[in-house]
Amino acid sequence: MNVLGQDQLSEEDGARKTLAHVLPIVTFLGLMALVPLLEILGFVVENDEMFPWYRHAPEQWLYPVQVIVCLCLIKKYWKRYDFVPLRGMIFATLMGVVGILVWIMPGYLFSEMNMEEGWWNFFGFTVREGGFDPAQLAGADTFMYWLLVVLRFVRMVVVVAIIEEVFWRGFLMRYFLDKDGNYWQQPFGKFSLKTYALITILFMVVHSPADYFGAFIYGSIAYWVAVRTKSLAACVLMHSVANFLLGCYVMSTGEYGYW
């Protein structure tokens, strides 16, 4: 038994557990990559009058597919995730609020203060363009519109929160502690300055440049939550709260570039 009371894993079980933590996020990112790939292949077109909706807005059907496939993977591997102990939930909720406020505040101030583009863009003080606008496909207040909104929230609040925390904190945080040994015997939430730096920087660079500052601060807070609570469930809750609030902010402001 290790310090967390878990049985020693065989090499085969360790490999299966690693697959369970890595495959969902690889699948998620792979499906996201289909949009630019379809653009390169010429499948995506701009003219929405001459071509069907799935040609000019492929993300409208790729995102729901992404949600369904990733939910299936989460269900398949659920028993391989160490969500217990369930503690630090209030702290995680508060940190989710703080984390997302830090993330969106620069963009909000940029808009409210009518700022111009400049070197401060690196800190998130810039306009958020593009993103997922459900009105591209369906008129407001229609059944299809709200179905797309609900699926988007499920994607952010459930799918993204679980697969990212399972990967970043559940797997990678342990892997960097002992990548040449049996990293699954490393206790969840064990602090390491090297691990903190690697995970937080990687988490930052997988986002767009406008989000680098927000992602770095958010990643630092999420690492703190993992170290303080020793609970993967708390990290998932923090991510869910942050993404839910972000979704509410996007729906109320129309700043679709955030998602």
Side-chain angles (χ1 to χ4, degrees), residues 212-237:
Y212 280 174
F213 176 74
F216 180 81
I217 300 300
Y218 180 91
S220 298
I221 296 174
Y223 189 89
W224 181 32
V225 169
V227 171
R228 175 168 172 170
T229 67
K230 303 294 190 291
S231 170
L232 177 59
C235 296
V236 172
L237 178 60

Side-chain angles (χ1 to χ4, degrees), residues 121-177:
N121 293 5
F122 180 80
F123 295 98
F125 292 91
T126 185
V127 65
R128 303 306 174 105
E129 297 177 338
F132 174 85
D133 181 0
Q136 284 182 316
L137 179 59
D141 293 327
T142 63
F143 172 79
M144 182 59 70
Y145 175 88
W146 288 111
L147 177 61
L148 292 172
V149 170
V150 169
L151 287 173
R152 184 64 180 186
F153 270 84
V154 171
R155 182 178 184 266
M156 295 174 62
V157 178
V158 180
V159 174
V160 170
I162 293 176
I163 66 175
E164 285 203 4
E165 292 308 317
V166 159
F167 175 72
W168 292 109
R169 255 61 68 175
F171 165 68
L172 210 58
M173 195 169 172
R174 287 177 168 127
Y175 179 77
F176 284 141
L177 285 171

Side-chain angles (χ1 to χ4, degrees), residues 46-67:
E46 296 294 333
N47 193 325
D48 59 353
E49 296 181 356
M50 295 181 60
F51 296 91
W53 64 270
Y54 57 83
R55 293 286 303 275
H56 65 83
E59 67 278 3
Q60 302 284 22
W61 55 268
L62 270 175
Y63 285 173
V65 169
Q66 193 181 49
V67 169

